[in-house]
Amino acid sequence: NAGVTQTPKFRVLKTGQSMTLLCAQDMNHEYMYWYRQDPGMGLRLIHYSVGEGTTAKGEVPDGYNVSRLKKQNFLLGLESAAPSQTSVYFCASSKTGHNEQFFGPGTRLTVL
Amino acid sequence: DAKTTQPTSMDCAEGRAANLPCNHSTISGNEYVYWYRQIHSQGPQYIIHGLKNNETNEMASLIITEDRKSSTLILPHATLRDTAVYYCIVRVDLLRKLVFGKGTKLTVNP
């Protein structure tokens, strides 16, 4: 039981490049989330999903897109990366909306 | 979601109890109090949550005041591995979002 895994762990992009971050969970959770964390700040919710095929905007959705084609995977896409998107990205999942969330180890992204 | 206020930082001696306060004076009747922690560079970890009654699990105890305007997370015997940022979060159970503030940086000293 690996829990929540994230791929890749580190990535450096140039401004304007695109990339996709992959989150996978093996706990059969319905809910999945993407957060970003910037230095000195708490986590901010980007997008979330309450089930396969559904997505919704969080607190800071601009510049990101997401997809939940399979229940166990939640993808976060950056179509045209900007330096302001340099951050650590965390994925999380939960069984229901009010159960505890389980977090992945994070992806450290730098946009030059 | 109700706003929470936590001290920026706290220190605790190893082996002693760590008591982390959280003020949530605008909490409404159906909002839960959640506590998470984040050890340096790792993903946040769930600790405990409660609505009205005090709660205890293998990690910690949560004491919620009778008027629910504040709560205290208690780590009964702090260890060096408990050094982390602790987040107090108030959330309505029907919403699916956790709103993290800046948390309390707890340092456990030998």
Side-chain angles (χ1 to χ4, degrees):
Chain A
N1 191 335
V4 179
T5 58
Q6 293 183 232
T7 309
K9 289 184 170 53
F10 303 93
R11 185 72 185 269
V12 178
L13 291 178
K14 295 181 180 179
T15 297
Q17 288 185 316
S18 63
M19 79 161 295
T20 300
L21 282 66
L22 171 63
C23 176
Q25 52 93 5
D26 61 2
M27 297 173 282
N28 201 35
H29 285 171
E30 290 294 332
Y31 293 72
M32 296 187 75
Y33 317 79
W34 275 107
Y35 295 87
R36 62 176 289 175
Q37 186 172 36
D38 301 300
M41 298 183 68
L43 281 77
R44 293 183 292 171
L45 183 67
I46 305 171
H47 285 281
Y48 64 101
S49 168
V50 302
E52 182 178 320
T54 72
T55 63
K57 294 181 179 180
E59 183 183 357
V60 288
D62 294 341
Y64 305 94
N65 57 74
V66 288
S67 64
R68 184 96 182 270
L69 298 179
K70 293 183 178 180
K71 185 177 184 178
Q72 64 268 33
N73 296 336
F74 195 29
L75 279 63
L76 178 71
L78 286 74
E79 291 188 350
S80 179
S84 60
Q85 294 178 304
T86 293
S87 189
V88 180
Y89 292 85
F90 289 101
C91 175
S93 71
S94 63
K95 186 175 181 180
T96 68
H98 53 270
N99 285 114
E100 62 265 32
Q101 293 184 13
F102 293 83
F103 283 79
T107 295
R108 188 173 297 273
L109 175 66
T110 301
V111 183
L112 303 176
Chain B
D1 293 325
K3 181 179 178 179
T4 61
T5 304
Q6 298 177 253
T8 302
S9 63
M10 294 181 64
D11 286 275
C12 177
E14 187 177 21
R16 303 296 294 269
N19 297 282
L20 290 86
C22 180
N23 183 288
H24 31 80
S25 58
T26 60
I27 193 170
S28 59
N30 58 351
E31 290 185 309
Y32 286 80
V33 180
Y34 284 76
W35 283 85
Y36 282 75
R37 73 180 181 182
Q38 188 174 23
I39 297 170
H40 182 63
S41 296
Q42 298 181 19
Q45 177 189 25
Y46 166 81
I47 301 173
I48 199 168
H49 75 280
L51 183 61
K52 295 181 180 178
N53 300 319
N54 297 338
E55 302 288 344
T56 296
N57 63 19
E58 64 278 4
M59 289 182 66
S61 295
L62 173 61
I63 308 298
I64 303 174
T65 59
E66 191 170 344
D67 63 7
R68 302 209 326 119
K69 293 184 176 182
S70 65
S71 61
T72 301
L73 178 73
I74 300 173
L75 307 177
H77 305 287
T79 70
L80 299 179
R81 288 178 294 181
D82 291 322
T83 292
V85 177
Y86 287 77
Y87 296 98
C88 168
I89 301 162
V90 175
R91 186 188 69 168
V92 176
D93 61 354
L94 293 180
L95 294 178
R96 300 161 188 102
K97 302 177 289 183
L98 288 178
V99 179
F100 286 79
K102 295 186 178 182
T104 296
K105 168 69 172 164
L106 175 69
T107 302
V108 180
N109 300 304

